[in-house]
Amino acid sequence: MSSDWASYERAWAQDPDHRPRSAHMPAIIAEADRAVATFLVNLARDYDAILSSEAHRAPAETRVISAEQESDLAVYPNAWDPHRTSEQDGDGAQRCVDAPHSSTSHAWRQLYDSLCFIQAPMVRCSKPAFRQVCRAWETRMSYTHMLMAESFVKSPHARHAEFARYEGEDRLVAQLAAKSGPDAAQAALLLRPYCDGVDLNCGCPQRWAMKEGIGAALIERPEQVADMVRSIRNAMPAGDTAETRARKGAESSNCTATAPTFFPCAVKMRIQDDLRRSIDFARQCEAAGVSWLTVHGRTPACHPSAAVHFEAVKLIRENVSVPVVLNGGVTDVSTAMEAALRTGCGGLMSANGLLDNPSMFYCGASRASMEAEMSFEKRPWEWPLERCGPVSPPAETTVTGHSSGASSPVRPVSLLWAPERTAADAALVRYTVPDMWQATVTPREVISDFMRAAIRTDLMVPTTVQQVLRMARLYVSPAERNHLALLRSNLSVLRALQEVGLYVESGHIACD
């Protein structure tokens, strides 16, 4: 290690914002995986019982529901009908059978609460303000944007410009783009006091990244990635491994309390056309000591909107023993649960879904409780398509939010899924979760929280405007979008949002 780099490290480590880590993230993801596995076992066990009892089901008993559920039932008359069936037209028609609400709703909610939702690394977007808003609305872990390891090590200006965190932030993973073990190890040592882990980017499909030999180009070189993982693990100070802590704990009970916290190293990858090579890549990373793998279920050549290969992610997960996080195809509560069930992954990462609505993982126990925290200024489904894009009108009657004259696009969560379904099955089992609700449009409280976080963290104005326009895309007109794009300070953006009725004092991030 050169003396120049050692001086950079000392200067960086003297930052007063140093803090100890408080979370063991691989254990959090592994716990979510176990919850999904347990749920799948119970669901498969109940599947045959549901189908066998459907043929001779007794008449539905009178159900006692609360006043709040009765209000929801008036708006969504089918939400609490556990015995509803429907015929699907066409060749190979299958009968849809609803699983009993009383026996499944609590389990579904318990499963959802056990999942580990992760905010993905996004270029120019994964800044402290956005991470804080996502964490305030049920995201459990956050990633920084991709940091170039070589420049991060060599330049203190690059470190202070590229890496920052908000006050009290935890469960933060710094993503690194590196081509060599020494660069990756030195960058990890610099980041170690300020985040909870590092992630090697082996999934970025951008042309410039692949031309530089980083990102998705690395999935063709598993030996190089394994060497970087080993370099990071070996560079950590003595005592920073589970084995050392266990050995010290056997010698003295006091040593365990003072031992440094384990510093994980993860790898984010994409699948390849030949899944055998993807499995080999994952196994080599596991052998090198990776803490968990994040698998994007698309190949580097796939379009961002292409279908996610859940079966490929499941196959990789079944061939390694470390936790596997799914990336891709998670856009709301329903797709999150579907992805968890189809892949067995308890860790779920989202990028575009959170950019559109940072509260996409926030799920309430009833429509009334959701509306008590959220408000919506306009009715986007009544606007012309050329203004807001393709927005389908809701099938159910709209409900009124707590703000005057507002419409609340809060919808019940439901799934249509059957475990281990084969072509011989005569019916599909519909699992409806009427006591879980989600917002399909970004609430005003979330936009307001983001503005408060942007001002506190001094987020660059172009980034603020870019993300506000994406969150508020269904609220603002083209003229209002043009006006916001011309503003040159975060306070001006806040005042403009107040003028159009999109800023409120309530939210999960308090006003100063």
Side-chain angles (χ1 to χ4, degrees):
M1 184 181 299
S2 67
S3 58
D4 289 341
W5 181 81
S7 65
Y8 294 150
E9 183 189 26
R10 285 194 296 271
W12 179 258
Q14 289 172 0
D15 191 314
D17 204 21
H18 172 99
R19 66 166 182 82
R21 289 171 300 280
S22 59
H24 193 280
M25 292 184 295
I28 296 174
I29 301 173
E31 182 181 357
D33 285 348
R34 288 192 294 270
V36 174
T38 302
F39 185 86
L40 283 171
V41 170
N42 295 333
L43 199 62
R45 181 190 60 194
D46 296 340
Y47 176 55
D48 291 335
I50 293 173
L51 291 183
S52 61
S53 63
E54 177 62 23
H56 45 79
R57 185 188 297 273
E61 299 178 358
T62 303
R63 288 167 288 127
V64 179
I65 60 176
S66 64
E68 185 176 75
Q69 293 175 342
E70 187 174 359
S71 173
D72 292 339
L73 187 59
V75 178
Y76 301 98
N78 293 328
W80 264 274
D81 186 0
H83 306 307
R84 185 179 74 258
T85 62
S86 62
E87 295 291 340
Q88 296 181 350
D89 297 329
D91 296 336
Q94 290 180 310
R95 188 163 47 89
C96 294
V97 181
D98 282 352
H101 161 67
S102 59
S103 63
T104 60
S105 61
H106 175 70
W108 283 105
R109 181 72 203 203
Q110 192 174 28
L111 168 68
Y112 188 78
D113 292 339
S114 301
L115 298 178
C116 180
F117 300 118
I118 305 172
Q119 168 249 308
M122 292 168 280
V123 178
R124 295 185 301 274
C125 295
S126 299
K127 299 292 186 178
F130 183 74
R131 299 199 304 261
Q132 184 177 12
V133 174
C134 291
R135 288 296 303 277
W137 291 88
E138 296 300 322
T139 302
R140 298 184 65 184
M141 290 170 53
S142 303
Y143 273 61
T144 69
H145 61 282
M146 182 176 64
L147 307 174
M148 302 299 295
E150 184 177 2
S151 60
F152 194 85
V153 168
K154 293 180 178 179
S155 171
H157 300 290
R159 292 199 286 273
H160 288 283
E162 293 296 323
F163 180 80
R165 59 186 181 85
Y166 60 87
E167 183 179 359
E169 184 173 14
D170 62 351
R171 296 179 186 173
L172 174 63
V173 180
Q175 187 178 68
L176 296 174
K179 293 186 289 186
S180 67
D183 283 345
Q186 291 176 0
L189 279 173
L190 290 173
L191 288 163
R192 181 174 175 268
Y194 310 102
C195 62
D196 298 285
V198 293
D199 175 89
L200 294 176
N201 186 350
C202 302
C204 179
Q206 298 185 56
R207 293 180 181 177
W208 71 267
M210 298 187 69
K211 185 177 180 180
E212 291 289 331
I214 58 177
L218 291 172
I219 61 177
E220 303 289 345
R221 298 190 285 272
E223 296 84 1
Q224 183 177 345
V225 177
D227 177 70
M228 288 190 286
V229 173
R230 281 190 290 266
S231 298
I232 292 174
R233 297 297 298 268
N234 294 335
M236 292 300 110
D240 197 45
T241 64
E243 294 81 2
T244 306
R245 292 202 309 274
R247 184 170 62 253
K248 288 186 177 181
E251 297 173 357
S252 171
S253 59
N254 295 329
C255 293
T256 305
T258 59
T261 307
F262 171 71
F263 190 69
C265 172
V267 170
K268 187 173 185 292
M269 59 176 285
R270 282 181 177 249
I271 62 172
Q272 302 180 62
D273 293 324
D274 187 352
L275 287 181
R276 293 173 297 181
R277 301 184 65 182
S278 297
I279 294 173
D280 177 69
F281 180 92
R283 285 175 172 172
Q284 291 200 43
C285 291
E286 179 186 14
V290 75
S291 300
W292 74 84
L293 286 165
T294 301
V295 182
H296 192 131
R298 300 184 180 97
T299 65
C302 278
H303 191 273
S305 61
V308 177
H309 297 276
F310 291 117
E311 292 75 14
V313 179
K314 180 180 180 181
L315 187 62
I316 294 173
R317 183 189 64 80
E318 291 173 345
N319 281 274
V320 295
S321 58
V322 295
V324 172
V325 173
L326 167 70
N327 182 209
V330 179
T331 57
D332 54 26
V333 176
S334 294
T335 56
M337 289 197 292
E338 179 188 3
L341 294 173
R342 292 182 63 179
T343 63
C345 297
L348 303 172
M349 179 179 286
S350 177
N352 288 324
L354 286 173
L355 283 177
D356 292 337
N357 181 9
S359 64
M360 60 168 279
F361 290 131
Y362 190 74
C363 184
S366 67
R367 178 171 55 89
S369 65
M370 291 283 284
E371 290 182 350
E373 297 186 73
M374 298 179 174
S375 61
F376 307 88
E377 179 64 18
K378 299 178 181 179
R379 297 183 179 184
W381 43 80
E382 294 181 355
W383 291 358
L385 295 182
E386 61 269 19
R387 289 185 58 186
C388 60
V391 179
S392 301
E396 304 90 349
T397 305
T398 58
V399 293
T400 303
H402 67 272
S403 60
S404 176
S407 183
S408 173
V410 176
R411 298 289 176 264
V413 177
S414 61
L415 294 176
L416 179 61
W417 186 81
E420 304 298 333
R421 180 170 57 85
T422 65
D425 287 335
L428 296 176
V429 177
R430 188 201 313 271
Y431 295 93
T432 303
V433 193
D435 58 347
M436 293 174 60
W437 299 74
Q438 62 184 340
T440 58
V441 176
T442 307
R444 293 190 299 171
E445 287 75 10
V446 175
I447 300 174
S448 305
D449 281 344
F450 176 75
M451 283 307 309
R452 289 189 282 268
I455 293 174
R456 287 178 181 175
T457 60
D458 196 21
L459 184 63
M460 292 186 298
V461 180
T463 304
T464 301
V465 172
Q466 174 191 0
Q467 296 190 246
V468 165
L469 289 178
R470 182 153 185 173
M471 296 177 199
R473 67 196 183 284
L474 299 180
Y475 294 121
V476 296
S477 66
E480 292 167 341
R481 293 178 65 90
N482 292 337
H483 174 68
L484 286 170
L486 296 175
L487 299 179
R488 292 295 177 264
S489 73
N490 287 333
L491 287 176
S492 299
V493 177
L494 186 146
R495 285 193 292 268
L497 293 179
Q498 287 177 326
E499 292 175 359
V500 297
L502 291 182
Y503 182 83
V504 294
E505 298 292 335
S506 57
H508 288 186
I509 298 178
C511 300
D512 290 335

